[in-house]
Amino acid sequence: SGAAPQSVADLNIQWVSSTVDSVRSWLSGAAYSGYSDPLLSDWQQQYYGRNLPRLQQIKTAVDPDNVFRFAQSIEPG
């Protein structure tokens, strides 16, 4: 299948995490929302910041049943 073994993936994730930790004091606390990062502890705030309440209102207006969702999608307000 061409996929790397899980041990290689784990080492790469560990390397990225240690790199981020080494520069954490210079980071803004925000995160790029163009892809889901399951390791973010406060993803709603990191992705959307002060825009989250407005985005929840929009989500409620256009998708009140939360049909369009994924693990880190905005919930209806």
Side-chain angles (χ1 to χ4, degrees):
S1 75
Q6 187 60 45
S7 60
V8 172
D10 291 342
L11 285 171
N12 284 314
I13 291 168
Q14 183 180 9
W15 176 81
V16 169
S17 294
S18 66
T19 301
V20 170
D21 288 343
S22 72
V23 298
R24 189 166 306 283
S25 63
W26 295 286
L27 299 177
S28 69
Y32 175 64
S33 61
Y35 65 92
S36 295
D37 183 347
L39 301 178
L40 290 177
S41 59
D42 189 15
W43 61 268
Q44 289 181 320
Q45 189 60 39
Q46 290 177 291
Y47 289 154
Y48 307 114
R50 66 183 185 184
N51 295 314
L52 182 60
R54 182 177 56 87
L55 293 169
Q56 287 173 318
Q57 289 176 342
I58 294 167
K59 176 73 172 194
T60 300
V62 299
D63 186 17
D65 297 325
N66 204 24
V67 173
F68 300 101
R69 66 181 176 271
F70 58 96
Q72 290 183 331
S73 63
I74 296 172
E75 297 286 326

